[in-house]
Amino acid sequence: MPPLYAYGALAAAIVLEVLGTSFLQKSEQFTRLAPTLAMAAFYAGSFFLLAHALKVIPLGVAYAIWGGLGIVLVALVGTFVFRQSIDLPGMIGIAMIVGGVIVVNAFSSSAAH
């Protein structure tokens, strides 16, 4: 698998993980069937694509990107979709996560390029 496809699979895995987490919120602690099933399907798809990305991208790098960008995107969904607020320390922490993902991808020799 070429690195471009691996990063595409990783990007899709991140999107599915964010969707799964969003439906986790909507499931109301697994009391609503449809959001619970959607959550499970999105998480399963996310892990499937993450596993394919791991054919090329080292585990530590892939998981850092998957987790880091997932956190950022879920925070944005929480803010704009669920109307949850993020305070200044939260924003600073999220900015640090983004910075870490950039450093790993731009400067680490262990990232697949």
Side-chain angles (χ1 to χ4, degrees), residues 25-79:
Q25 171 78 26
K26 299 298 272 180
S27 76
E28 297 178 8
Q29 295 75 42
F30 307 116
T31 60
R32 297 179 59 219
L33 181 61
T36 299
L37 293 175
M39 177 226 37
F42 284 127
Y43 278 152
S46 177
F47 280 106
F48 177 81
L49 291 170
L50 178 61
H52 281 286
L54 292 176
K55 292 176 183 176
V56 173
I57 305 169
L59 174 63
V61 173
Y63 192 74
I65 295 168
W66 183 78
L69 292 180
I71 289 168
V72 171
L73 293 173
V74 167
L76 291 172
V77 167
T79 299

